[in-house]
Amino acid sequence: MTLRPATPATFRPARRTAPRPAVAKTKTVRRHRRGTDRKPRFAIAVTVLFFALLYVPIGVVILFSFNAQKSLTVFKDFSLRWYSDFFHDDALIASLGMSLRVSLVAMAGSMILGVALALGLVRSRSRLGSLAGLIMLVPLITPEIVTGVAAMLLFKGMGITLSTGTVMLAEITFSISYVTVILRSRIAALNPETEEAAMDLGASRWQALRLVTLPALLPSILASSVLVFALVFDDFVLAYFTTGVDPQPLSVRIYSAIRFGVEPTINAVGTLMLAGSIGLIALALFIPRLFGRRGGLDLLSGK
Amino acid sequence: MTAFLIASLVLVAALAFGTTDPLGNPRFGFNLDNIAAMADPAYRVVLLRSLGYAVLTCAICLVVAYPVAYAIALHGGRFKNLLIAAIVVPFFANYLVRMYGWSVVLSDDGPLLKALRSAGLADETTKILQTGGGVIAGLVYGFIVFMIIPLYAALERMDTSLIEAGRDLYGGPLRTFFFVTLPATRQGAAAGCVLVLLPAMGDFVSAQLMGGPDQIMIGNLIQDKFFQGQNWPLGSALTMLMMAVLFVGMIGYLRRARKDEAEAVR
């Protein structure tokens, strides 16, 4: 009897089919392994689309601010007529001036109070201090309309006529929260021993603060004041609730203009405002780097 | 200034129980009329609509922001900071101007609908503005950055070797995302949801520019009671109602966050 190769022959296909799924599996596994450093195509596609949708509206405003026609859908010829309209509109210029004044005052006021408050909050270990710290966070976590309504009611309740001054006061109150939040983390990161060393060397408490602590905080102070300026200048809701009749802040003016029909002058004003605030925010991000600190983004993310 | 804050908020709460005299001036008092008025089905519809729009906005923001934050945080390379700045900076520019530009883009003969029509995805009657979808589109555009930033921070902090481990254990990209990445960054997602929900709930610009008279949200009602209706007590009561709804959500979030923290410590 000769052993015929029939048995191996019948086995062979069986053996061949058995590993096949395994081969297919290792293939997919290998694909997944490689997948960790492969670019996630879906996420990147979404990101590209997101950036397009983020910038198209801004681009539209800028583009049509240079349109010779009144249309918002057809771009005809390049012209600066809406800009010249804006600069000849006394009411709009008055609003611009008021917004600038409010932002400057809010910047200065919230800076002085915010630095003092942040220093006080970090240094004081009392329960009242931490309560005040919590309350300062309230405007950041309430919808702005509530802050606006509340401020307006307080002014009216005290019999104060709404005016530029009330906008300033309300904006200062609101911006202190930003300044305090940004500065608190910076102050907490400071080394308290440097100030103690200064006092050991004969500096008074005030001198130590002025010569040691404040210079160390300077980048953060500058960056947050630029941030406050931009935020207050652009703020609409709080200004809307606390402003008097005339002149109104620029953003409130824009609000009434876009509610009652389209006016291309708004594109010009809007473009100028966009350029201004984007420039300021970029500056605020850049300031810490100027002083040799790494990255300014933690300013915005609150890290 | 802290006193200013407390005083103003207490005043809103107090005025919610007030009344208006025949001349329309607000009077303090203890009166439950405004609270009772909250039961009016008309208000309930608006409140539920606001809540619905805010939650939908939040969901859309989450779905869009995750891939964006993921792509930038884990695959942004040296452009990471630049890309995040490119997202953050425009969001600090004037809200109204951005919203206005967005409404031009979404308008009936605007670029987006034109493109959709030429692609055969929309016809002449398709509208975005003056619909609920328009309002939600406005809210998403307005507040999505508040979702991206915490998610980006969470993804950046995340231990990426976990993702590799997930892949090594034969998880596909989707499975790895849902069982590894998502749980690891859920605190960032939760913070983002709160940060989007709060302003979306109180916003009145989006409903005004993108919606129309039958799409009003609670913010529009409050604004109307203070500026057109001159019924401040009712406006205050509506403000308190909105705060109450948000407060319930916040409590839920805080309890959850505390639990997560406790687990992390253990």
Side-chain angles (χ1 to χ4, degrees):
Chain A
M1 282 277 258
T2 47
L3 274 170
R4 305 202 45 186
T7 21
T10 48
F11 268 106
R12 209 169 286 146
R15 218 196 278 142
R16 205 185 287 153
T17 47
R20 200 170 278 154
V23 167
K25 212 169 190 177
T26 40
K27 251 186 195 162
T28 55
V29 166
R30 207 183 299 146
R31 213 184 66 209
H32 286 162
R33 281 228 177 108
R34 229 191 290 130
T36 26
D37 20 59
R38 200 185 55 184
K39 298 279 172 196
R41 285 206 203 102
F42 172 72
I44 289 172
V46 174
T47 310
V48 170
L49 195 67
F50 169 78
F51 269 102
L53 286 177
L54 176 65
Y55 278 97
V56 164
I58 296 172
V60 164
V61 171
I62 298 174
L63 178 70
F64 284 97
S65 74
F66 295 113
N67 197 2
Q69 301 282 303
K70 209 173 170 165
S71 164
L72 279 176
T73 47
V74 186
F75 188 83
K76 254 312 223 317
D77 296 304
F78 177 87
S79 127
L80 290 174
R81 76 182 256 216
W82 306 117
Y83 288 90
S84 103
D85 274 14
F86 166 61
F87 285 111
H88 290 103
D89 188 329
D90 290 341
L92 277 178
I93 293 293
S95 291
L96 173 69
M98 182 206 175
S99 285
L100 286 174
R101 257 176 300 151
V102 168
S103 315
L104 275 174
V105 170
M107 180 173 100
S110 65
M111 206 46 53
I112 296 164
L113 293 169
V115 171
L117 189 67
L119 280 170
L121 286 178
V122 174
R123 302 283 156 85
S124 93
R125 289 275 163 267
S126 77
R127 199 169 287 169
L128 200 69
S130 58
L131 185 69
L134 271 182
I135 290 168
M136 287 318 295
L137 294 178
V138 167
L140 299 182
I141 56 158
T142 44
E144 240 195 310
I145 191 169
V146 178
T147 337
V149 163
M152 172 188 177
L153 283 179
L154 184 64
F155 289 132
K156 292 271 184 161
M158 294 194 299
I160 303 173
T161 324
L162 297 181
S163 66
T164 311
T166 50
V167 183
M168 287 173 181
L169 214 60
E171 295 285 3
I172 291 177
T173 317
F174 190 69
S175 344
I176 289 178
S177 300
Y178 281 99
V179 179
T180 319
V181 167
I182 293 170
L183 285 182
R184 267 176 89 173
S185 54
R186 273 278 170 258
I187 294 172
L190 282 185
N191 187 355
E193 282 164 20
T194 49
E195 202 173 296
E196 281 160 25
M199 291 206 274
D200 284 345
L201 292 169
S204 69
R205 187 165 262 282
W206 168 242
Q207 276 175 323
L209 185 71
R210 189 166 54 92
L211 297 173
V212 176
T213 311
L214 286 184
L217 291 175
L218 193 63
S220 312
I221 293 177
L222 282 179
S224 50
S225 58
V226 174
L227 191 68
V228 162
F229 186 92
L231 285 174
V232 171
F233 189 83
D234 280 335
D235 174 64
F236 159 65
V237 178
L238 200 55
Y240 177 67
F241 277 97
T242 51
T243 185
V245 182
D246 218 32
Q248 289 180 321
L250 199 52
S251 57
V252 178
R253 257 260 137 65
I254 292 183
Y255 171 72
S256 29
I258 54 186
R259 233 166 36 126
F260 302 113
V262 171
E263 191 57 56
T265 319
I266 296 306
N267 286 325
V269 184
T271 303
L272 292 175
M273 287 179 85
L274 285 172
S277 28
I278 289 178
L280 280 179
I281 298 302
L283 182 69
L285 291 180
F286 185 67
I287 285 175
R289 199 165 285 191
L290 207 66
F291 285 84
R293 292 266 171 74
R294 204 172 49 81
L297 276 173
D298 49 342
L299 195 69
L300 300 177
S301 55
K303 259 193 283 172
Chain B
M1 284 297 155
T2 311
F4 183 95
L5 275 176
I6 300 174
S8 54
L9 288 171
V10 167
L11 203 62
V12 180
L15 200 59
F17 298 99
T19 50
T20 40
D21 67 13
L23 289 172
N25 296 315
R27 288 276 171 272
F28 286 104
F30 192 79
N31 185 309
L32 290 175
D33 283 0
N34 296 310
I35 311 297
M38 294 294 107
D40 188 330
Y43 291 137
R44 202 185 317 142
V45 170
V46 175
L47 184 70
L48 285 179
R49 182 189 297 135
S50 314
L51 202 60
Y53 283 2
V55 168
L56 253 171
T57 299
C58 200
I60 295 173
C61 283
L62 197 60
V63 170
V64 177
Y66 241 117
V68 174
Y70 188 92
I72 297 179
L74 301 181
H75 296 270
R78 63 202 170 89
F79 299 113
K80 250 200 273 191
N81 280 344
L82 198 68
L83 286 169
I84 280 296
I87 290 177
V88 170
V89 167
F91 274 94
F92 278 84
N94 193 281
Y95 177 63
L96 285 166
V97 174
R98 284 190 300 120
M99 217 41 137
Y100 162 74
W102 191 218
S103 77
V104 172
V105 170
L106 300 182
S107 65
D108 294 344
D109 45 2
L112 191 73
L113 276 178
K114 262 186 193 161
L116 285 179
R117 271 185 216 122
S118 60
L121 291 168
D123 55 39
E124 291 305 312
T125 54
T126 312
K127 281 168 93 67
I128 299 176
L129 289 194
Q130 306 297 319
T131 66
V135 179
I136 295 172
L139 293 173
V140 169
Y141 187 70
F143 304 120
I144 192 169
V145 73
F146 298 131
M147 187 68 89
I148 293 183
I149 295 302
L151 274 182
Y152 171 78
L155 280 163
E156 229 210 343
R157 263 200 312 266
M158 183 187 165
D159 181 2
T160 47
S161 59
L162 287 177
I163 298 180
E164 277 162 44
R167 296 288 169 85
D168 285 349
L169 293 167
Y170 305 126
L174 273 181
R175 272 171 71 102
T176 312
F177 176 78
F178 280 110
F179 289 103
V180 179
T181 316
L182 195 62
T185 53
R186 68 169 186 273
Q187 287 180 37
C193 286
V194 169
L195 290 177
V196 169
L197 266 179
L198 286 170
M201 207 44 199
D203 185 71
F204 58 92
V205 176
S206 179
Q208 214 156 42
L209 285 182
M210 316 278 189
D214 53 344
Q215 298 293 339
I216 57 165
M217 293 174 66
I218 190 155
N220 303 82
L221 271 188
I222 295 173
Q223 178 211 13
D224 185 68
K225 294 287 172 264
F226 277 97
F227 286 93
Q228 272 86 42
Q230 291 289 329
N231 191 344
W232 293 1
L234 192 53
S236 303
L238 284 166
T239 311
M240 292 317 288
L241 177 68
M242 181 177 82
M243 285 300 283
V245 171
L246 290 175
F247 196 64
V248 171
M250 283 294 282
I251 298 260
Y253 164 73
L254 287 177
R255 283 178 66 172
R256 190 60 217 252
R258 195 166 295 170
K259 220 170 111 192
D260 276 353
E261 237 164 65
E263 268 167 28
V265 169
R266 217 182 297 151

